[in-house]
Amino acid sequence: VYQTADGKAGADAVATIANASTGIFNIEALANATGTSATASVALGAITQWAWATGGGNATALIDNDGTLFINYDANAVGTVNDAFAFATGTGINQSATAAGAGVANATLDNSGTLTIAAGAGATGVTFASATATVNTGISQVASAAGEANVALINSGTLNITATADAVAGATAVP
Protein backbone atom coordinates (compact mmCIF):
# COMPACT_ATOMS: atom_id res chain seq x y z
CA VAL A 1 0.00 0.00 0.00
CA TYR A 2 1.49 3.33 -1.04
CA GLN A 3 -0.27 6.58 -0.18
CA THR A 4 0.79 10.11 -1.08
CA ALA A 5 -1.01 13.31 -0.09
CA ASP A 6 0.24 16.68 -1.32
CA GLY A 7 -1.31 19.87 0.06
CA LYS A 8 -0.26 23.02 -1.77
CA ALA A 9 -0.66 26.72 -0.96
CA GLY A 10 -1.90 26.18 2.59
CA ALA A 11 -4.06 23.13 1.95
CA ASP A 12 -3.82 20.18 4.34
CA ALA A 13 -2.34 16.86 3.24
CA VAL A 14 -3.81 13.73 4.85
CA ALA A 15 -2.94 10.08 4.18
CA THR A 16 -5.17 7.73 6.21
CA ILE A 17 -5.71 4.01 6.64
CA ALA A 18 -8.61 3.08 8.91
CA ASN A 19 -9.32 -0.57 9.72
CA ALA A 20 -12.53 -1.06 11.73
CA SER A 21 -12.90 -3.44 14.67
CA THR A 22 -14.42 -6.11 12.41
CA GLY A 23 -11.90 -5.45 9.64
CA ILE A 24 -9.23 -7.86 8.46
CA PHE A 25 -6.45 -6.27 6.41
CA ASN A 26 -3.83 -8.76 5.10
CA ILE A 27 -0.73 -7.89 3.11
CA GLU A 28 1.31 -10.95 2.17
CA ALA A 29 4.18 -11.88 -0.10
CA LEU A 30 4.91 -15.61 -0.36
CA ALA A 31 7.59 -17.56 -2.24
CA ASN A 32 7.86 -21.35 -2.43
CA ALA A 33 10.39 -23.42 -4.37
CA THR A 34 10.98 -27.16 -4.69
CA GLY A 35 13.58 -28.81 -6.88
CA THR A 36 16.90 -30.68 -7.00
CA SER A 37 18.35 -27.45 -5.61
CA ALA A 38 15.87 -24.77 -4.59
CA THR A 39 15.91 -21.05 -3.79
CA ALA A 40 12.91 -19.05 -2.58
CA SER A 41 13.21 -15.32 -2.06
CA VAL A 42 10.68 -12.65 -1.13
CA ALA A 43 10.95 -8.94 -0.35
CA LEU A 44 8.08 -6.67 0.70
CA GLY A 45 7.57 -3.02 1.55
CA ALA A 46 4.06 -3.20 2.98
CA ILE A 47 2.69 0.24 3.90
CA THR A 48 4.17 3.63 3.03
CA GLN A 49 2.43 6.92 3.77
CA TRP A 50 3.75 10.34 2.69
CA ALA A 51 1.98 13.57 3.57
CA TRP A 52 3.50 16.85 2.39
CA ALA A 53 1.95 20.28 2.96
CA THR A 54 3.29 23.68 1.91
CA GLY A 55 2.27 27.26 2.62
CA GLY A 56 1.10 26.66 6.18
CA GLY A 57 -1.00 23.55 5.63
CA ASN A 58 -0.95 20.61 8.05
CA ALA A 59 0.48 17.22 7.08
CA THR A 60 -0.94 14.03 8.60
CA ALA A 61 0.00 10.38 8.08
CA LEU A 62 -2.44 8.25 10.11
CA ILE A 63 -3.04 4.53 10.56
CA ASP A 64 -5.94 3.67 12.86
CA ASN A 65 -6.20 -0.08 13.37
CA ASP A 66 -9.07 -1.37 15.49
CA GLY A 67 -9.26 -4.76 13.76
CA THR A 68 -6.62 -7.15 12.44
CA LEU A 69 -3.72 -5.83 10.36
CA PHE A 70 -1.43 -8.66 9.23
CA ILE A 71 1.77 -8.03 7.24
CA ASN A 72 3.61 -11.23 6.32
CA TYR A 73 6.51 -12.19 4.07
CA ASP A 74 7.38 -15.85 3.93
CA ALA A 75 9.83 -17.91 1.84
CA ASN A 76 10.12 -21.71 1.82
CA ALA A 77 12.55 -23.85 -0.19
CA VAL A 78 12.97 -27.62 -0.43
CA GLY A 79 16.03 -29.10 -2.16
CA THR A 80 15.17 -32.72 -2.92
CA VAL A 81 18.72 -33.80 -3.89
CA ASN A 82 21.13 -30.97 -3.00
CA ASP A 83 20.73 -27.63 -1.25
CA ALA A 84 17.98 -25.19 -0.31
CA PHE A 85 18.05 -21.44 0.32
CA ALA A 86 15.18 -19.30 1.66
CA PHE A 87 15.30 -15.51 2.10
CA ALA A 88 12.47 -13.33 3.45
CA THR A 89 13.00 -9.63 4.09
CA GLY A 90 10.91 -6.52 4.26
CA THR A 91 9.60 -3.41 5.89
CA GLY A 92 6.33 -3.14 7.76
CA ILE A 93 5.14 0.46 8.06
CA ASN A 94 6.77 3.74 7.00
CA GLN A 95 5.04 7.03 7.81
CA SER A 96 6.35 10.48 6.91
CA ALA A 97 4.66 13.85 7.43
CA THR A 98 6.25 17.18 6.42
CA ALA A 99 4.73 20.61 6.89
CA ALA A 100 6.80 23.17 5.03
CA GLY A 101 5.71 26.50 6.46
CA ALA A 102 3.71 27.23 9.60
CA GLY A 103 1.72 23.98 9.53
CA VAL A 104 1.79 21.01 11.91
CA ALA A 105 3.18 17.59 10.92
CA ASN A 106 1.75 14.43 12.51
CA ALA A 107 2.69 10.79 11.94
CA THR A 108 0.42 8.57 14.05
CA LEU A 109 -0.10 4.83 14.38
CA ASP A 110 -2.98 4.01 16.71
CA ASN A 111 -3.47 0.29 17.29
CA SER A 112 -6.26 -1.02 19.51
CA GLY A 113 -6.62 -4.24 17.54
CA THR A 114 -4.00 -6.77 16.49
CA LEU A 115 -1.06 -5.64 14.39
CA THR A 116 1.44 -8.27 13.23
CA ILE A 117 4.53 -7.76 11.08
CA ALA A 118 6.19 -11.13 10.44
CA ALA A 119 9.02 -12.51 8.33
CA GLY A 120 9.50 -16.26 8.00
CA ALA A 121 11.97 -18.41 6.09
CA GLY A 122 12.25 -22.19 5.95
CA ALA A 123 14.80 -24.27 4.05
CA THR A 124 15.13 -28.06 3.86
CA GLY A 125 17.97 -29.56 1.87
CA VAL A 126 19.81 -32.86 1.60
CA THR A 127 23.37 -31.48 1.54
CA PHE A 128 22.97 -27.88 2.73
CA ALA A 129 20.20 -25.54 3.89
CA SER A 130 20.18 -21.83 4.70
CA ALA A 131 17.26 -19.69 5.83
CA THR A 132 17.26 -15.95 6.55
CA ALA A 133 14.28 -13.90 7.78
CA THR A 134 14.62 -10.18 8.45
CA VAL A 135 12.27 -7.38 9.39
CA ASN A 136 14.42 -4.45 8.21
CA THR A 137 12.16 -1.86 9.78
CA GLY A 138 9.05 -2.83 11.68
CA ILE A 139 7.65 0.67 12.11
CA SER A 140 9.25 3.96 11.05
CA GLN A 141 7.69 7.34 11.79
CA VAL A 142 9.08 10.74 10.78
CA ALA A 143 7.53 14.20 11.23
CA SER A 144 9.18 17.41 10.11
CA ALA A 145 7.96 20.99 10.34
CA ALA A 146 9.18 24.53 10.84
CA GLY A 147 6.80 24.64 13.80
CA GLU A 148 5.23 21.64 15.52
CA ALA A 149 6.08 18.06 14.53
CA ASN A 150 4.69 14.99 16.31
CA VAL A 151 5.11 11.23 16.05
CA ALA A 152 2.97 8.86 18.07
CA LEU A 153 2.78 5.09 18.37
CA ILE A 154 -0.25 4.32 20.51
CA ASN A 155 -0.83 0.67 21.33
CA SER A 156 -3.69 -0.51 23.51
CA GLY A 157 -4.02 -3.76 21.56
CA THR A 158 -1.55 -6.44 20.49
CA LEU A 159 1.57 -5.54 18.53
CA ASN A 160 3.85 -8.33 17.24
CA ILE A 161 7.01 -7.88 15.15
CA THR A 162 8.77 -11.20 14.51
CA ALA A 163 11.36 -12.85 12.28
CA THR A 164 11.77 -16.63 12.27
CA ALA A 165 14.16 -18.76 10.23
CA ASP A 166 14.49 -22.56 10.20
CA ALA A 167 16.97 -24.64 8.22
CA VAL A 168 17.22 -28.43 8.12
CA ALA A 169 19.77 -30.50 6.19
CA GLY A 170 21.42 -33.89 6.32
CA ALA A 171 24.90 -32.29 6.25
CA THR A 172 24.92 -28.53 7.05
CA ALA A 173 22.10 -26.19 8.10
CA VAL A 174 22.40 -22.45 8.73
CA PRO A 175 19.37 -20.63 10.17
Side-chain angles (χ1 to χ4, degrees), residues 7-169:
K8 295 184 168 92
D12 291 343
V14 180
T16 301
I17 293 175
N19 189 32
S21 62
T22 57
I24 298 172
F25 189 167
N26 292 332
I27 301 171
E28 294 188 85
L30 309 172
N32 296 298
T34 300
T36 302
S37 291
T39 300
S41 179
V42 66
L44 174 67
I47 297 175
T48 299
Q49 293 181 308
W50 297 95
W52 175 268
T54 60
N58 299 321
T60 302
L62 171 66
I63 296 175
D64 185 6
N65 180 51
D66 296 326
T68 299
L69 176 53
F70 182 67
I71 299 168
N72 180 52
Y73 25 100
D74 194 52
N76 294 288
V78 177
T80 57
V81 176
N82 293 313
D83 45 16
F85 301 90
F87 307 97
T89 186
T91 299
I93 297 170
N94 284 317
Q95 294 179 300
S96 179
T98 302
V104 176
N106 292 303
T108 304
L109 172 58
D110 188 350
N111 178 55
S112 60
T114 300
L115 171 56
T116 301
I117 301 167
T124 302
V126 174
T127 58
F128 182 84
S130 177
T132 303
T134 307
V135 176
N136 292 327
T137 302
I139 299 169
S140 172
Q141 297 176 298
V142 176
S144 176
E148 185 178 339
N150 306 294
V151 295
L153 173 58
I154 304 160
N155 182 50
S156 59
T158 302
L159 175 59
N160 302 302
I161 301 174
T162 62
T164 304
D166 295 305
V168 176

